[in-house]
Amino acid sequence: MMQEQTRKQALIILPGLTADKAKRDNMLHFFSDNSPYAVYLPNIPKRRSLKRCAQWLGAYLEQIVRPERYQGIQVLAFISGGFVFRKMSSNRPIRHLEHAVYIRSPIQELTLAQFRERHGYLLLWLLRGQLALDIVAINQDHLDFPSTGSGQGLIVETGISKLARSMGISRERVPTGAWEPGILLPGANDVIRVPESHDDVYTSTSVLGQALYFFAHRRFRKSPQQDQWTNHEDVG
């Protein structure tokens, strides 16, 4: 973690269910090396229910991050991390929340439901915990997206992960409406589709760099050169 005492802004990264230690370490190093933010990457206890995960995250923010110390808070949320963040924010909104970028995948989100149908509740619980079961069962309309001071961005994965491919899931099997930005993030300030699958987004400098660019400019970079993320002036 960067020296948060010297930073005016903080970045909170909320990974999804498939982010192992190597992927988490990659994100921590990327954002620590290429951004002006104090970087926090909480290890949400995903064996617990969505409600308990949200309570845990709220306590982490209050006790560890302490948002009142910063002028602005940025949030980068991947699928399940976004669900936990939204659930938490319904009761304990983050102070000084400036930007939020959500990374979502209609393909990967369908994969959880298909896995449950094919293999049953018990195996999904054993592999991914109660949080995965709750995400499959929840009515997303009941989880509002928290308001931000400066804007919200949406990154949509269009690639097919190994798990989705092994289950025979293709883009054509995803309902057309599931790709609509108005469903994935109502009121988004900007939306970009990326070719990466959920296997790749945690290690793609292009995708992670797009999040940084949004935090700085309230829009995504549209030029082909999306992987130049060594200039702190460009992200501050």
Side-chain angles (χ1 to χ4, degrees), residues 100-224:
V101 169
Y102 296 87
I103 298 182
R104 299 197 62 180
S105 168
I107 293 172
Q108 194 71 12
E109 292 174 41
L110 178 62
T111 300
L112 273 183
Q114 291 293 308
F115 188 96
R116 183 195 65 179
E117 293 302 316
R118 180 177 296 186
H119 300 291
Y121 288 83
L122 179 59
L123 185 57
L124 181 58
W125 178 81
L126 288 171
L127 293 175
R128 298 299 183 192
Q130 185 62 41
L131 178 59
L133 290 175
D134 289 352
I135 288 174
V136 173
I138 196 169
N139 184 339
Q140 294 189 28
D141 294 337
H142 295 166
L143 283 181
D144 292 332
F145 288 87
S147 60
T148 63
S150 297
Q152 302 184 87
L154 172 65
I155 298 176
V156 183
E157 307 165 10
T158 60
I160 303 174
S161 68
K162 292 179 181 178
L163 177 59
R165 196 178 303 278
S166 71
M167 298 182 67
I169 297 176
S170 63
R171 295 182 187 88
E172 291 71 27
R173 288 192 59 187
V174 179
T176 302
W179 294 98
E180 291 296 323
I183 298 296
L184 295 171
L185 179 56
N189 294 92
D190 200 7
V191 180
I192 189 170
R193 291 191 176 194
V194 297
E196 284 84 355
S197 75
H198 203 63
D199 296 331
D200 310 316
V201 289
Y202 298 109
T203 55
S204 169
T205 57
S206 176
V207 173
L208 301 181
Q210 284 285 13
L212 282 182
Y213 195 86
F214 184 91
F215 295 147
H217 304 285
R218 213 174 73 157
R219 60 181 175 83
F220 295 113
R221 184 187 291 272
K222 306 302 184 189
S223 69

Side-chain angles (χ1 to χ4, degrees), residues 62-104:
E62 289 187 2
Q63 298 170 18
I64 305 300
V65 179
R66 291 184 288 160
E68 68 275 4
R69 297 186 297 168
Y70 299 103
Q71 295 178 1
I73 302 291
Q74 330 298 321
V75 170
L76 174 60
F78 297 75
I79 305 183
S80 66
F83 283 101
V84 174
F85 176 55
R86 290 159 63 188
K87 179 69 173 178
M88 181 212 72
S89 298
S90 64
N91 295 314
R92 304 167 78 170
I94 297 180
R95 285 165 285 182
H96 308 305
L97 179 59
E98 191 168 284
H99 299 96
V101 169
Y102 296 87
I103 298 182
R104 299 197 62 180

